[in-house]
Amino acid sequence: MAICKKMQSTPGQIFHGRCHCGAVTFSVTGPLRQIPACHCDDCRRLAGAFRAATAATRDSYRLASDASLTWYRSSAQVQRGFCNQCGSNLFYQRDDEDIMSVNTGMLDNPDDLSVGGGLFAQSHPKRGLLPATTPDLDDALSGRFDAS
Ligand SMILES: [Zn+2]
Ligand SMILES: [Zn+2]
C-alpha cells in the first residue's frame, strides 16, 4: 500500500461490486487505498484509457460469484482478473504482494474514494491526469448529436 495512503474513512466499511453483466459479484472490506490513476501501457490497453483502482489486502475480498472470472497474466509478475462474459476488467494482483486492486468502476458506490495521484502520467505529458479545472461537459450531452 505504499503507492497511495489508506483512506481514513474506509476501515471496516464494506464495498459491494460487480462486473457489467453481474456474473462476477464481490465485496471488499476497507481500509481501501486512495486511487492511483495509472497511465502505463499495460493499463492503457487493458482499461481502454488510464486505470483508476483502489486496493486492499487479498483477504479483504469475498467473491460471491466468480464462475466467469478469468485471470490473464499481463506481465511476468502481474495477473489481471476479468469477466469472460462481458469483458469487464476487475482485478489486478502482483505475485509478490498480499494486495489486490479493483477498478473503482466495479464498485456500486465508489463516491467515498479519492484519487491520490498519477502513475506514469509523465510518460504521456499531453494526456496526463485530468486537472481540477477540467470543464464539466454534462450540459453538452443533450446536444451531442447536433451537427454543429
Ligand atoms: Zn460480466
Ligand atoms: Zn498500470
Side-chain angles (χ1 to χ4, degrees):
M1 295 232 186
I3 292 175
C4 293
K5 293 183 294 189
K6 292 177 186 175
M7 285 176 291
Q8 300 303 319
S9 61
T10 62
Q13 191 174 343
I14 299 173
F15 293 81
H16 295 275
R18 63 172 176 84
C19 65
H20 185 263
C21 75
V24 178
T25 57
F26 65 92
S27 64
V28 56
T29 303
L32 300 187
R33 184 192 65 190
Q34 281 185 310
I35 303 163
C38 187
H39 297 257
C40 81
D41 286 344
D42 289 344
C43 288
R44 176 173 60 90
R45 290 190 187 279
L46 288 160
F50 65 86
R51 176 173 176 270
T54 185
T57 56
R58 289 187 201 194
D59 64 4
S60 304
Y61 289 84
R62 296 286 175 271
L63 289 166
S65 171
D66 65 351
S68 67
L69 181 62
T70 299
W71 291 94
Y72 169 68
R73 186 159 291 279
S74 61
S75 61
Q77 294 287 318
V78 174
Q79 291 191 95
R80 305 194 189 222
F82 67 97
C83 172
N84 64 30
Q85 300 297 308
C86 69
S88 291
N89 176 349
L90 294 109
F91 303 118
Y92 169 108
Q93 62 181 21
R94 289 185 56 92
D95 296 340
D96 56 354
E97 288 181 343
D98 186 36
I99 303 296
M100 186 161 84
S101 67
V102 56
N103 287 331
T104 55
M106 302 302 126
L107 300 175
D108 294 346
N109 185 6
D111 294 344
D112 288 344
L113 308 180
S114 61
V115 174
L119 292 170
F120 301 102
Q122 302 308 318
S123 308
H124 310 282
K126 292 184 178 171
R127 194 167 53 208
L129 288 171
L130 296 175
T133 54
T134 298
D136 188 344
L137 301 176
D138 290 351
D139 288 345
L141 284 174
S142 60
R144 66 184 154 177
F145 298 118
D146 286 355
S148 56

